[in-house]
């Protein structure tokens, strides 16, 4: 009795399963092209969304400041904690003034930061009798993505009619 050994011999017309190196490289190139298109088109949209979010937040804080002023007769100052007076009741020297505080004026848990992690800036503006009293007596702004004040990427809340800033970076209430 003879035993035959069966060897793995390729038969004509039968191909082995799998991908060639060219096919794998082609798939990788297509994936890289799709990823680069995603980066090119999505990242600018994210920056625009962050600026829009900041503009909406500034509008929300401006409304809260106006409500605070309606209740107390003035905007919060630095002694009262500035913008934090919208979230927590400050300690007033005048007890009657403290009774008028009807806050919190913003939703609890609201962070007074822009999407880049920078605090919102709020400054009361002293006006002289000669200056035209248009708009709120405060400056409310974000320093933008670079974190530096007074640069082109700042997002500001300014009164209507004040065209000193770039319209794309200004939000008018």
């Amino acid at each position: 009795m003879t035993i035959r050994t069966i060897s793995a011999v390729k038969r004509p017309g039968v191909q082995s399963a799998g991908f060639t190196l060219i096919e794998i490289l082609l798939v990788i190139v297509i994936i890289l092209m799709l990823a680069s298109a995603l980066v090119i088109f999505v990242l600018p949209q994210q920056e625009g969304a962050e600026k829009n979010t900041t503009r909406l937040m500034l509008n929300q804080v401006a409304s809260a400041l106006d409500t605070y002023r309606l209740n107390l007769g003035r905007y919060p100052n630095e002694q009262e904690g500035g913008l934090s007076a919208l979230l927590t009741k400050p300690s007033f020297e005048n007890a009657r003034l403290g009774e008028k505080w009807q806050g919190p004026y913003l939703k609890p848990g609201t962070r007074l930061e822009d999407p880049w992690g920078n605090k919102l800036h709020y400054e009361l503006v002293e006006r002289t009798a000669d200056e035209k009293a248009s708009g709120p007596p405060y400056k409310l702004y974000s320093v933008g993505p670079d974190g530096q004040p007074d640069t082109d990427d700042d997002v500001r809340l300014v009164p209507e009619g004040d065209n000193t800033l770039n319209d794309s970076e200004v939000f008018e209430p």
Side-chain angles (χ1 to χ4, degrees), residues 60-97:
Q60 179 183 12
V61 171
S63 295
L65 284 168
D66 291 339
T67 305
Y68 183 97
R69 186 189 61 80
L70 287 172
N71 289 341
L72 279 84
R74 60 183 168 81
Y75 291 101
N77 55 33
E78 287 302 314
Q79 290 79 20
E80 296 166 354
L83 291 178
S84 64
L86 300 173
L87 293 168
T88 58
K89 184 176 183 177
S91 58
F92 295 100
E93 292 179 13
N94 183 346
R96 290 184 67 202
L97 192 62

Short mmCIF file of all heavy atoms in Angstrom, two decimals, residues 60-97:
data_model
loop_
_atom_site.label_atom_id
_atom_site.label_comp_id
_atom_site.label_asym_id
_atom_site.label_seq_id
_atom_site.Cartn_x
_atom_site.Cartn_y
_atom_site.Cartn_z
N GLN A 60 -27.14 86.94 26.46
CA GLN A 60 -27.80 86.43 27.65
C GLN A 60 -27.33 87.18 28.91
O GLN A 60 -28.14 87.55 29.76
CB GLN A 60 -27.50 84.93 27.79
CG GLN A 60 -28.12 84.28 29.00
CD GLN A 60 -27.72 82.82 29.11
OE1 GLN A 60 -26.83 82.34 28.42
NE2 GLN A 60 -28.38 82.11 29.99
N VAL A 61 -26.04 87.43 29.00
CA VAL A 61 -25.50 88.15 30.15
C VAL A 61 -25.99 89.60 30.13
O VAL A 61 -26.33 90.17 31.18
CB VAL A 61 -23.96 88.06 30.19
CG1 VAL A 61 -23.37 88.99 31.24
CG2 VAL A 61 -23.52 86.63 30.44
N ALA A 62 -26.07 90.22 28.95
CA ALA A 62 -26.56 91.60 28.84
C ALA A 62 -28.02 91.68 29.31
O ALA A 62 -28.39 92.63 30.01
CB ALA A 62 -26.42 92.10 27.40
N SER A 63 -28.83 90.69 28.95
CA SER A 63 -30.22 90.68 29.42
C SER A 63 -30.28 90.53 30.93
O SER A 63 -31.10 91.19 31.59
CB SER A 63 -30.99 89.53 28.76
OG SER A 63 -31.08 89.71 27.38
N ALA A 64 -29.42 89.69 31.48
CA ALA A 64 -29.38 89.51 32.94
C ALA A 64 -28.92 90.80 33.62
O ALA A 64 -29.46 91.18 34.67
CB ALA A 64 -28.46 88.35 33.31
N LEU A 65 -27.96 91.50 33.03
CA LEU A 65 -27.51 92.77 33.59
C LEU A 65 -28.64 93.80 33.58
O LEU A 65 -28.81 94.56 34.54
CB LEU A 65 -26.30 93.30 32.81
CG LEU A 65 -24.97 92.61 33.08
CD1 LEU A 65 -23.94 93.01 32.03
CD2 LEU A 65 -24.47 92.94 34.47
N ASP A 66 -29.41 93.83 32.50
CA ASP A 66 -30.53 94.77 32.42
C ASP A 66 -31.60 94.46 33.47
O ASP A 66 -32.16 95.36 34.09
CB ASP A 66 -31.14 94.76 31.02
CG ASP A 66 -30.22 95.36 29.98
OD1 ASP A 66 -29.31 96.13 30.35
OD2 ASP A 66 -30.41 95.05 28.78
N THR A 67 -31.86 93.18 33.69
CA THR A 67 -32.83 92.79 34.72
C THR A 67 -32.32 93.16 36.11
O THR A 67 -33.07 93.64 36.96
CB THR A 67 -33.10 91.27 34.64
OG1 THR A 67 -33.51 90.95 33.31
CG2 THR A 67 -34.18 90.85 35.61
N TYR A 68 -31.03 92.96 36.34
CA TYR A 68 -30.41 93.36 37.61
C TYR A 68 -30.60 94.86 37.83
O TYR A 68 -30.97 95.31 38.92
CB TYR A 68 -28.92 93.00 37.56
CG TYR A 68 -28.15 93.29 38.83
CD1 TYR A 68 -27.92 92.28 39.75
CD2 TYR A 68 -27.62 94.55 39.08
CE1 TYR A 68 -27.19 92.53 40.91
CE2 TYR A 68 -26.89 94.80 40.23
CZ TYR A 68 -26.68 93.79 41.14
OH TYR A 68 -25.97 94.04 42.28
N ARG A 69 -30.35 95.65 36.78
CA ARG A 69 -30.50 97.09 36.89
C ARG A 69 -31.95 97.49 37.15
O ARG A 69 -32.22 98.40 37.93
CB ARG A 69 -30.01 97.79 35.62
CG ARG A 69 -30.01 99.33 35.77
CD ARG A 69 -29.74 100.04 34.48
NE ARG A 69 -30.72 99.78 33.45
CZ ARG A 69 -31.92 100.35 33.36
NH1 ARG A 69 -32.33 101.19 34.27
NH2 ARG A 69 -32.72 100.05 32.37
N LEU A 70 -32.89 96.79 36.52
CA LEU A 70 -34.30 97.09 36.77
C LEU A 70 -34.67 96.83 38.23
O LEU A 70 -35.45 97.57 38.82
CB LEU A 70 -35.19 96.26 35.85
CG LEU A 70 -35.22 96.68 34.39
CD1 LEU A 70 -36.00 95.65 33.57
CD2 LEU A 70 -35.83 98.05 34.23
N ASN A 71 -34.13 95.79 38.81
CA ASN A 71 -34.44 95.45 40.21
C ASN A 71 -33.73 96.35 41.21
O ASN A 71 -34.32 96.77 42.20
CB ASN A 71 -34.09 94.00 40.50
CG ASN A 71 -35.02 93.01 39.84
OD1 ASN A 71 -36.13 93.35 39.43
ND2 ASN A 71 -34.57 91.79 39.71
N LEU A 72 -32.45 96.64 40.96
CA LEU A 72 -31.66 97.36 41.96
C LEU A 72 -31.41 98.83 41.60
O LEU A 72 -30.89 99.58 42.41
CB LEU A 72 -30.32 96.67 42.18
CG LEU A 72 -30.42 95.48 43.13
CD1 LEU A 72 -30.84 94.23 42.43
CD2 LEU A 72 -29.14 95.28 43.86
N GLY A 73 -31.72 99.23 40.38
CA GLY A 73 -31.53 100.62 39.99
C GLY A 73 -30.17 100.95 39.44
O GLY A 73 -29.90 102.09 39.07
N ARG A 74 -29.28 99.98 39.36
CA ARG A 74 -27.94 100.19 38.81
C ARG A 74 -27.34 98.84 38.42
O ARG A 74 -27.86 97.80 38.80
CB ARG A 74 -27.04 100.90 39.81
CG ARG A 74 -26.85 100.14 41.10
CD ARG A 74 -26.01 100.94 42.08
NE ARG A 74 -26.06 100.37 43.40
CZ ARG A 74 -25.33 99.34 43.82
NH1 ARG A 74 -24.50 98.76 43.00
NH2 ARG A 74 -25.43 98.89 45.04
N TYR A 75 -26.27 98.91 37.66
CA TYR A 75 -25.56 97.69 37.25
C TYR A 75 -24.61 97.27 38.36
O TYR A 75 -24.17 98.11 39.15
CB TYR A 75 -24.80 97.94 35.95
CG TYR A 75 -25.70 98.13 34.75
CD1 TYR A 75 -25.97 99.40 34.26
CD2 TYR A 75 -26.29 97.04 34.14
CE1 TYR A 75 -26.80 99.57 33.16
CE2 TYR A 75 -27.12 97.20 33.04
CZ TYR A 75 -27.37 98.48 32.56
OH TYR A 75 -28.20 98.63 31.48
N PRO A 76 -24.27 95.98 38.42
CA PRO A 76 -23.33 95.54 39.48
C PRO A 76 -21.95 96.14 39.28
O PRO A 76 -21.49 96.29 38.15
CB PRO A 76 -23.31 94.02 39.33
CG PRO A 76 -23.78 93.75 37.95
CD PRO A 76 -24.68 94.88 37.57
N ASN A 77 -21.30 96.48 40.38
CA ASN A 77 -19.95 97.03 40.31
C ASN A 77 -18.95 96.00 40.83
O ASN A 77 -19.33 94.89 41.22
CB ASN A 77 -19.85 98.36 41.07
CG ASN A 77 -20.31 98.22 42.51
OD1 ASN A 77 -20.13 97.19 43.13
ND2 ASN A 77 -20.92 99.28 43.03
N GLU A 78 -17.70 96.38 40.87
CA GLU A 78 -16.64 95.45 41.30
C GLU A 78 -16.79 95.07 42.78
O GLU A 78 -16.47 93.95 43.16
CB GLU A 78 -15.26 96.05 41.04
CG GLU A 78 -14.88 96.06 39.58
CD GLU A 78 -14.87 94.68 38.95
OE1 GLU A 78 -14.33 93.73 39.55
OE2 GLU A 78 -15.43 94.54 37.85
N GLN A 79 -17.26 95.98 43.61
CA GLN A 79 -17.42 95.66 45.03
C GLN A 79 -18.48 94.58 45.23
O GLN A 79 -18.44 93.84 46.20
CB GLN A 79 -17.81 96.92 45.83
CG GLN A 79 -16.71 97.95 45.95
CD GLN A 79 -16.57 98.79 44.69
OE1 GLN A 79 -17.47 98.87 43.87
NE2 GLN A 79 -15.41 99.40 44.54
N GLU A 80 -19.43 94.50 44.32
CA GLU A 80 -20.49 93.49 44.41
C GLU A 80 -20.09 92.20 43.70
O GLU A 80 -20.85 91.24 43.68
CB GLU A 80 -21.78 94.04 43.81
CG GLU A 80 -22.33 95.21 44.58
CD GLU A 80 -23.40 95.97 43.84
OE1 GLU A 80 -23.65 95.66 42.65
OE2 GLU A 80 -23.98 96.89 44.43
N GLY A 81 -18.94 92.19 43.07
CA GLY A 81 -18.46 90.99 42.41
C GLY A 81 -18.59 91.00 40.90
O GLY A 81 -18.33 89.99 40.25
N GLY A 82 -19.00 92.11 40.32
CA GLY A 82 -19.12 92.19 38.87
C GLY A 82 -20.18 91.24 38.35
O GLY A 82 -21.31 91.22 38.85
N LEU A 83 -19.83 90.42 37.39
CA LEU A 83 -20.79 89.48 36.79
C LEU A 83 -21.23 88.39 37.75
O LEU A 83 -22.32 87.84 37.60
CB LEU A 83 -20.21 88.85 35.52
CG LEU A 83 -20.01 89.78 34.32
CD1 LEU A 83 -19.39 89.01 33.17
CD2 LEU A 83 -21.32 90.41 33.91
N SER A 84 -20.43 88.09 38.74
CA SER A 84 -20.83 87.04 39.69
C SER A 84 -22.04 87.46 40.52
O SER A 84 -22.73 86.62 41.09
CB SER A 84 -19.67 86.64 40.59
OG SER A 84 -19.28 87.73 41.39
N ALA A 85 -22.34 88.78 40.55
CA ALA A 85 -23.53 89.26 41.26
C ALA A 85 -24.81 88.82 40.56
O ALA A 85 -25.89 88.89 41.14
CB ALA A 85 -23.49 90.78 41.37
N LEU A 86 -24.68 88.35 39.32
CA LEU A 86 -25.84 87.84 38.61
C LEU A 86 -26.20 86.42 39.05
O LEU A 86 -27.32 85.97 38.87
CB LEU A 86 -25.58 87.84 37.10
CG LEU A 86 -25.28 89.20 36.47
CD1 LEU A 86 -24.88 89.02 35.02
CD2 LEU A 86 -26.46 90.14 36.61
N LEU A 87 -25.23 85.72 39.62
CA LEU A 87 -25.44 84.33 40.03
C LEU A 87 -25.64 84.17 41.54
O LEU A 87 -26.45 83.35 41.96
CB LEU A 87 -24.24 83.47 39.59
CG LEU A 87 -24.08 83.32 38.08
CD1 LEU A 87 -22.72 82.71 37.76
CD2 LEU A 87 -25.19 82.47 37.52
N THR A 88 -24.89 84.92 42.32
CA THR A 88 -24.99 84.82 43.78
C THR A 88 -25.26 86.20 44.37
O THR A 88 -24.73 87.20 43.88
CB THR A 88 -23.70 84.26 44.40
OG1 THR A 88 -22.60 85.10 44.02
CG2 THR A 88 -23.43 82.84 43.93
N LYS A 89 -26.04 86.23 45.41
CA LYS A 89 -26.41 87.50 46.03
C LYS A 89 -25.19 88.12 46.71
O LYS A 89 -24.57 87.52 47.57
CB LYS A 89 -27.53 87.29 47.05
CG LYS A 89 -28.03 88.56 47.66
CD LYS A 89 -29.19 88.30 48.59
CE LYS A 89 -29.74 89.60 49.16
NZ LYS A 89 -30.91 89.36 50.00
N PRO A 90 -24.85 89.33 46.29
CA PRO A 90 -23.71 89.99 46.94
C PRO A 90 -24.12 90.53 48.31
O PRO A 90 -25.30 90.63 48.64
CB PRO A 90 -23.38 91.14 45.98
CG PRO A 90 -24.56 91.32 45.10
CD PRO A 90 -25.38 90.07 45.17
N SER A 91 -23.14 90.86 49.11
CA SER A 91 -23.44 91.47 50.41
C SER A 91 -23.54 92.97 50.21
O SER A 91 -22.59 93.62 49.78
CB SER A 91 -22.35 91.12 51.42
OG SER A 91 -21.10 91.54 50.95
N PHE A 92 -24.71 93.51 50.49
CA PHE A 92 -24.97 94.93 50.32
C PHE A 92 -24.84 95.62 51.67
O PHE A 92 -25.24 95.09 52.70
CB PHE A 92 -26.39 95.17 49.78
CG PHE A 92 -26.60 94.63 48.39
CD1 PHE A 92 -27.25 93.41 48.19
CD2 PHE A 92 -26.18 95.35 47.29
CE1 PHE A 92 -27.46 92.93 46.91
CE2 PHE A 92 -26.38 94.87 46.01
CZ PHE A 92 -27.03 93.66 45.82
N GLU A 93 -24.30 96.83 51.66
CA GLU A 93 -24.22 97.62 52.89
C GLU A 93 -25.61 98.09 53.28
O GLU A 93 -25.93 98.19 54.46
CB GLU A 93 -23.29 98.81 52.69
CG GLU A 93 -21.84 98.40 52.52
CD GLU A 93 -20.94 99.60 52.30
OE1 GLU A 93 -21.38 100.74 52.53
OE2 GLU A 93 -19.79 99.38 51.91
N ASN A 94 -26.42 98.37 52.30
CA ASN A 94 -27.78 98.82 52.52
C ASN A 94 -28.71 97.61 52.50
O ASN A 94 -28.86 96.94 51.48
CB ASN A 94 -28.16 99.82 51.43
CG ASN A 94 -29.53 100.42 51.60
OD1 ASN A 94 -30.34 99.93 52.39
ND2 ASN A 94 -29.79 101.48 50.86
N ALA A 95 -29.38 97.32 53.61
CA ALA A 95 -30.24 96.13 53.69
C ALA A 95 -31.44 96.24 52.76
O ALA A 95 -31.89 95.25 52.18
CB ALA A 95 -30.72 95.93 55.12
N ARG A 96 -31.95 97.45 52.56
CA ARG A 96 -33.10 97.63 51.65
C ARG A 96 -32.70 97.30 50.21
O ARG A 96 -33.49 96.77 49.46
CB ARG A 96 -33.63 99.05 51.74
CG ARG A 96 -34.31 99.32 53.08
CD ARG A 96 -34.92 100.68 53.14
NE ARG A 96 -36.04 100.76 52.21
CZ ARG A 96 -36.51 101.90 51.73
NH1 ARG A 96 -35.97 103.04 52.08
NH2 ARG A 96 -37.54 101.89 50.91
N LEU A 97 -31.48 97.64 49.86
CA LEU A 97 -30.99 97.33 48.52
C LEU A 97 -30.85 95.82 48.35
O LEU A 97 -31.17 95.27 47.30
CB LEU A 97 -29.66 98.03 48.27
CG LEU A 97 -29.14 98.05 46.83
CD1 LEU A 97 -30.10 98.79 45.93
CD2 LEU A 97 -27.77 98.70 46.78
#
